[in-house]
Amino acid sequence: MGTSRLAPCMIIGVISICMTEIAGTNKGFSVSMYTVTSKSISVRWSRVPGIHSVKVTATPKTVPGTPVFVQFNGATIIGSIVSLNPSTIYTVNVEAIDSLGNMLASSEIEQRTAPDVPSIDQAYSKQSSSITVEWTAVPGATGYTLRAKDGKSIIETTVTDSPGTIRNLDPATQYMIILMSVNAGGRSQPSLPKKAKTVLAAPVLSSSSPSNDSIVVIWEPVYMAVEYTLSLMRADGVGSRLKVNTSQTTMIFSGLDSGIAYSIKANAWDSSHTQGDDFSVTQITRPAVLSSVKLAMISQSMGVDVSWSLVEGAEIYTVLGSSRLNCTSVFSSCTISPLECGNNYSVSVVASNKAGPSSPSEPANFLTVPCAPQGIRIEEVNPGNLTVSWSTVPLGEYYIVYVKRDDGLEVFCNTSLSTCDYQFQCGFTYFITVFAYNAAGQSPLGSVLNYTTAPCCPADIKPAFVSSDTLEITWSPVRGAEVYETRAGDGTSVIHCNDTATVCALSALKCNTRYSVIISSCSEIRGCNTSCVAHYVTTAPCSPQIKVTEVTSFTFNVSWSSDNKKANYTVSIRGGVGLEAESRTHRSSGNSWFVFSNLSCGSTFYVSAIATSPEGESLPSYTVPLETAPCCPQNLTVTQVTQAMTNVSWSVGRGAQSYMTMLESLRGEAKCHTLQSHCLLGCITCGTNYTVSLQSISDTGLTSECMYQGYSSTPCPPQNVNANLNCASNNASVSWNASQGAVSYRVTAVREDGQTEAACSTQSNNCDVSNLQCGLKYDITVTPLGQKCTGFQSAAFQLASSTFTLCSSY
């Protein structure tokens, strides 16, 4: 054998087999490995001149065995030797032989056969990009080659033992799986193929948290998928797992905890309900909305401190303020600055994490102090009366104007307007500053102005009425005044008074008139101070003009013209019989009348009125007389003189000159007009109810209607009295006609000597008189009885003279 050298490596498929070339006995003859399998070795040799045939012999090297040889013709350069044992080292000898059978050259190499052909037990897919293969181990194999073929491509991978996984496959794809065992010599023939299908691809989830309690998951449709399963659970393991199935490609999980990370896992299912690959994402919900945001003003220049309570899951907090003021913090507070005067800032806090920001908190508002007012102006409308005005500033709620006098006295004006009016004393210099205020505080100091005033107006002015038309005014002297001018005007005329004294009398004033009185101090240098305020005085009311109107005979309405709504009117009434002067007071409140009632009858009164107001008392009005109707008589008596005549008498009524008496019934009336206190009335009807009235008439024609108790005349005498005597029984049966006005009757039988022998009473028109004696003469009479009295008797039977009974109903 010649010396050997390292041959180049030949790549067959994905397996590289390095072979050793052993030099032949003759120069130029070489042998190299071509291929190797579990039971065959193929070699390649070079051509030599004179070659007729080639003999290839394989002899086991490490184990006993019978050599195997094969002989090829001289034109062949590649030859294979088969029926070898797997995983066995063979010495392969190649001899070049000429036509005479002589060996021209020879060479040998050593080569291990590949392991035995493996057998696949099962092939399955758990992931969409791989298939796992299980098999029984092959002796002598140092590795295995897995091959997956889907008709378009072939993918191979090498593993050391079972199970092995082929990766980088397409999901939901049917593959033909082949297994080959490998050792240092090469790899075996392919195993019997096994079909396997990759599971569905996992849905590629894309998640987001649109709010602090929800997560939205979306994915692209998975090829061949008919349904998807998603499960959600807090990443920290707290709580239970939520599992849902859907055929859609989106899912919304709501009602979640704020700021919490959730693990979301999804897989697809095919039509045979085979579970596909799974995919997981972790998504955190947005933080909760912050509450109880607190603001604390540090200063105008340093800003405002914003604080809040931390919320779960927040990574950073952002304070959003109006006017582009903001700050961020990972803690529970931060400061926004600088602040500008005259601004109303609105501040909200947003908590953020990887899912995004929370909704802004409820805005917290705070004001900065207003800016200092500008454009301050001082205008002296009248001497001593100054108006300070300024330009309003944004968010200024009110203003305070400080006015300091040069002697140290300071006053201020608080207003929501942009002007303030001041009364200034004469001869002083005033320093004026204006500040604006709101809930945040006072504005910065602005401009300071000074102003010197004119002489002061008179003080301690005291107006007093000397009389109803004369007003005297006094006042205290004031600094710098040389002359005082007094003016009183009512809108139509003005009364002047100029004097160096501090008193003035204004006369010939109108009643019930409001006067404007202005007292101005004057000097030669400044002239008159026109800023002095007016004093208003009102003269006393005018004298009332009264009018008396009769309401009833004893009630009178007194009215008057009212030209002063504040005046009280005292109405006096004097007179009457045995009465002192009577006065009554009426305080008017829009009404100008008063009613005197229940005045004494038959009297003459005198009425006058006076108006009184805080300004004084008017002159009395003219006196107006009034007369009441005469009095009704206190006593009245009605006496029936005869059956058809009645006498009426009465007491004297005060104030009455004559009387009119009247008896009235349904059957007629009787009337009498007389100057006396009695009257005789005829034509009275028996058994009739009468109304009795009387009129008292004064000498001026005033009349009082006097009504009295009713009067009933006596019942009418019964007519047609008959008596039937029965001497056997000593009884007389008496009958008669019914009488007008009678309610019962009494029958009497009187003997001729005047002695009453018997009587009977009845309500009917007949009666039996008993205990009579025969042979005697009787006068039988029937007397009617009314409700209140006895009427006149009937005519006596037997033509006896009859008597009558007087009946009075009054």
Side-chain angles (χ1 to χ4, degrees):
M1 300 290 292
T3 61
S4 65
R5 60 185 178 88
L6 185 63
C9 292
M10 178 177 290
I11 299 175
I12 302 175
V14 294
I15 300 175
S16 298
I17 301 176
C18 294
M19 297 172 291
T20 303
E21 181 181 301
I22 302 175
T25 57
N26 289 341
K27 185 179 180 179
F29 184 72
S30 64
V31 176
S32 62
M33 283 299 303
Y34 185 66
T35 62
V36 64
T37 67
S38 303
K39 295 184 178 183
S40 66
I41 295 176
S42 298
V43 294
R44 182 188 185 101
W45 54 87
S46 60
R47 294 182 182 273
V48 294
I51 191 171
H52 178 266
S53 63
V54 177
K55 182 180 179 181
V56 179
T57 304
T59 304
K61 182 177 179 181
T62 57
V63 294
T66 303
V68 179
F69 69 94
V70 179
Q71 192 162 354
F72 302 93
N73 63 34
T76 304
I77 62 173
I78 295 176
S80 296
I81 218 167
V82 298
S83 299
L84 305 180
N85 296 321
S87 296
T88 302
I89 299 175
Y90 285 90
T91 300
V92 180
N93 184 32
V94 180
E95 297 174 329
I97 301 173
D98 60 13
S99 58
L100 297 177
N102 298 320
M103 183 177 66
L104 297 178
S106 68
S107 180
E108 69 178 16
I109 59 175
E110 288 185 358
Q111 178 62 46
R112 182 187 294 272
T113 56
D116 202 359
V117 178
S119 175
I120 298 175
D121 294 334
Q122 61 176 343
Y124 53 87
S125 173
K126 289 187 177 181
Q127 294 182 339
S128 59
S129 62
S130 66
I131 293 176
T132 299
V133 183
E134 294 181 3
W135 64 90
T136 302
V138 175
T142 59
Y144 301 89
T145 297
L146 291 172
R147 177 182 297 170
K149 183 177 181 182
D150 65 349
K152 298 181 293 183
S153 61
I154 297 175
I155 297 176
E156 287 188 355
T157 187
T158 299
V159 298
T160 58
D161 53 17
S162 176
T165 301
I166 306 176
R167 306 184 187 278
N168 300 319
L169 305 181
D170 294 330
T173 303
Q174 184 80 32
Y175 283 92
M176 189 70 71
I177 305 299
I178 297 173
L179 176 65
M180 293 172 285
S181 57
V182 178
N183 61 12
R187 60 186 179 184
S188 70
Q189 288 85 359
S191 67
L192 294 176
K194 195 88 169 182
K195 292 182 179 180
K197 186 178 182 180
T198 53
V199 296
L200 300 182
V204 180
L205 303 181
S206 176
S207 62
S208 62
S209 175
S211 66
N212 61 3
D213 66 346
S214 65
I215 291 176
V216 176
V217 182
I218 60 175
W219 60 90
E220 293 294 330
V222 174
Y223 175 67
M224 299 293 289
V226 296
E227 190 177 31
Y228 303 92
T229 297
L230 287 88
S231 62
L232 176 139
M233 188 174 183
R234 284 178 55 141
D236 56 9
V238 176
S240 58
R241 181 184 298 273
L242 174 64
K243 189 173 183 180
V244 293
N245 294 325
T246 180
S247 60
Q248 306 299 318
T249 58
T250 181
M251 177 61 63
I252 300 176
F253 296 97
S254 58
L256 307 180
D257 297 329
S258 302
I260 297 298
Y262 285 87
S263 177
I264 306 163
K265 180 179 179 181
N267 60 267
W269 299 81
D270 60 16
S271 58
S272 61
H273 205 65
T274 299
Q275 181 176 340
D277 205 349
D278 58 64
F279 185 90
S280 297
V281 294
T282 299
Q283 175 66 53
I284 190 171
T285 53
R286 296 192 183 198
V289 179
L290 277 77
S291 60
S292 66
V293 175
K294 298 179 181 179
L295 305 177
M297 180 73 73
I298 302 174
S299 69
Q300 185 74 19
S301 59
M302 297 182 65
V304 63
D305 184 69
V306 186
S307 60
W308 56 87
S309 298
L310 299 176
V311 294
E312 182 75 28
E315 298 175 356
I316 191 169
Y317 300 88
T318 302
V319 177
L320 304 175
S322 55
S323 301
R324 298 182 180 179
L325 286 179
N326 56 64
C327 63
T328 58
S329 175
V330 296
F331 303 107
S332 60
S333 67
C334 68
T335 301
I336 55 176
S337 65
L339 305 178
E340 298 178 358
C341 63
N343 271 289
N344 186 358
Y345 292 98
S346 177
V347 174
S348 296
V349 182
V350 174
S352 302
N353 57 20
K354 294 178 181 179
S358 69
S359 297
S361 65
E362 286 293 328
N365 299 317
F366 69 95
L367 289 173
T368 58
V369 297
C371 298
Q374 301 295 322
I376 302 174
R377 298 179 300 277
I378 301 176
E379 182 181 5
E380 188 172 4
V381 180
N382 293 306
N385 186 359
L386 298 183
T387 297
V388 181
S389 61
W390 57 90
S391 300
T392 59
V393 295
L395 300 180
E397 296 179 2
Y398 63 96
Y399 303 87
I400 296 182
V401 181
Y402 292 93
V403 179
K404 187 173 184 179
R405 204 166 64 185
D406 55 7
D407 63 352
L409 179 66
E410 185 176 30
V411 295
F412 66 91
C413 166
N414 189 330
T415 179
S416 60
L417 305 176
S418 60
T419 61
C420 267
D421 296 324
Y422 289 92
Q423 295 293 329
F424 289 79
Q425 293 185 1
C426 62
F428 287 101
T429 299
Y430 294 86
F431 300 92
I432 302 170
T433 55
V434 182
F435 291 95
Y437 291 82
N438 60 19
Q442 175 185 290
S443 68
L445 175 65
S447 302
V448 179
L449 302 183
N450 63 75
Y451 190 84
T452 302
T453 61
C456 298
C457 291
D460 196 22
I461 297 174
K462 297 178 180 178
F465 280 97
V466 178
S467 64
S468 61
D469 63 349
T470 300
L471 177 67
E472 183 183 70
I473 305 175
T474 59
W475 59 89
S476 300
V478 294
R479 182 176 61 251
E482 299 174 356
V483 178
Y484 298 96
E485 179 184 72
T486 304
R487 292 176 297 159
D490 63 354
T492 59
S493 61
V494 178
I495 300 175
H496 292 271
C497 176
N498 291 332
D499 203 330
T500 57
T502 59
V503 62
C504 180
L506 303 174
S507 57
L509 302 179
K510 301 176 184 177
C511 65
N512 194 41
T513 302
R514 187 170 185 259
Y515 284 91
S516 172
V517 180
I518 301 176
I519 303 174
S520 302
S521 58
C522 305
S523 68
E524 184 178 354
I525 297 176
R526 295 298 301 267
C528 293
N529 190 338
T530 59
S531 64
C532 299
V533 297
H535 295 264
Y536 294 94
V537 294
T538 303
T539 55
C542 296
S543 177
Q545 302 296 318
I546 65 173
K547 180 181 179 181
V548 178
T549 304
E550 181 180 355
V551 179
T552 66
S553 299
F554 310 108
T555 301
F556 293 84
N557 180 40
V558 180
S559 61
W560 56 89
S561 59
S562 176
D563 56 3
N564 191 321
K565 300 298 183 182
K566 296 181 180 179
N568 295 324
Y569 291 85
T570 301
V571 183
S572 300
I573 182 168
R574 300 182 302 277
V577 177
L579 298 175
E580 297 295 332
E582 181 182 356
S583 64
R584 302 181 188 181
T585 301
H586 170 64
R587 296 182 181 274
S588 65
S589 57
N591 296 324
S592 301
W593 50 269
F594 187 69
V595 176
F596 287 101
S597 60
N598 299 322
L599 297 179
S600 300
C601 59
S603 302
T604 300
F605 295 88
Y606 299 93
V607 182
S608 64
I610 295 177
T612 304
S613 72
E615 289 77 22
E617 187 177 272
S618 72
L619 296 174
S621 68
Y622 295 113
T623 300
V624 176
L626 66 86
E627 180 185 0
T628 59
C631 298
C632 288
Q634 294 298 315
N635 300 309
L636 184 142
T637 303
V638 181
T639 304
Q640 190 153 359
V641 180
T642 67
Q643 181 175 328
M645 187 170 61
T646 301
N647 181 53
V648 182
S649 61
W650 55 85
S651 59
V652 177
R654 186 176 66 241
Q657 183 189 50
S658 62
Y659 304 92
M660 177 79 74
T661 305
M662 183 179 299
L663 271 66
E664 296 178 286
S665 71
L666 296 177
R667 296 185 177 184
E669 64 180 20
K671 184 182 298 183
C672 172
H673 192 182
T674 179
L675 297 174
Q676 307 299 321
S677 61
H678 58 85
C679 191
L680 190 63
L681 298 175
C683 301
I684 299 302
T685 305
C686 63
T688 303
N689 293 328
Y690 285 92
T691 299
V692 182
S693 62
L694 182 144
Q695 288 183 349
S696 293
I697 305 171
S698 71
D699 57 358
T700 60
L702 297 179
T703 302
S704 293
E705 298 288 340
C706 308
M707 300 298 294
Y708 297 91
Q709 186 176 0
Y711 163 73
S712 298
S713 61
T714 59
C716 296
Q719 302 295 323
N720 299 322
V721 177
N722 292 304
N724 296 319
L725 298 176
N726 187 346
C727 290
S729 60
N730 293 327
N731 289 339
S733 178
V734 184
S735 64
W736 60 90
N737 292 339
S739 174
Q740 176 69 31
V743 296
S744 65
Y745 302 89
R746 181 174 178 79
V747 180
T748 59
V750 182
R751 291 190 309 191
E752 57 186 349
D753 58 4
Q755 181 179 354
T756 301
E757 292 292 341
C760 69
S761 297
T762 183
Q763 292 181 349
S764 63
N765 60 349
N766 56 78
C767 186
D768 291 335
V769 182
S770 58
N771 298 323
L772 300 180
Q773 297 180 15
C774 289
L776 296 178
K777 184 179 179 181
Y778 289 87
D779 287 335
I780 298 175
T781 60
V782 180
T783 302
L785 301 176
Q787 292 287 353
K788 297 182 180 179
C789 61
T790 302
F792 292 102
Q793 294 178 344
S794 65
F797 189 71
Q798 297 291 336
L799 299 178
S801 60
S802 59
T803 62
F804 62 88
T805 302
L806 180 63
C807 177
S808 174
S809 63
Y810 191 77

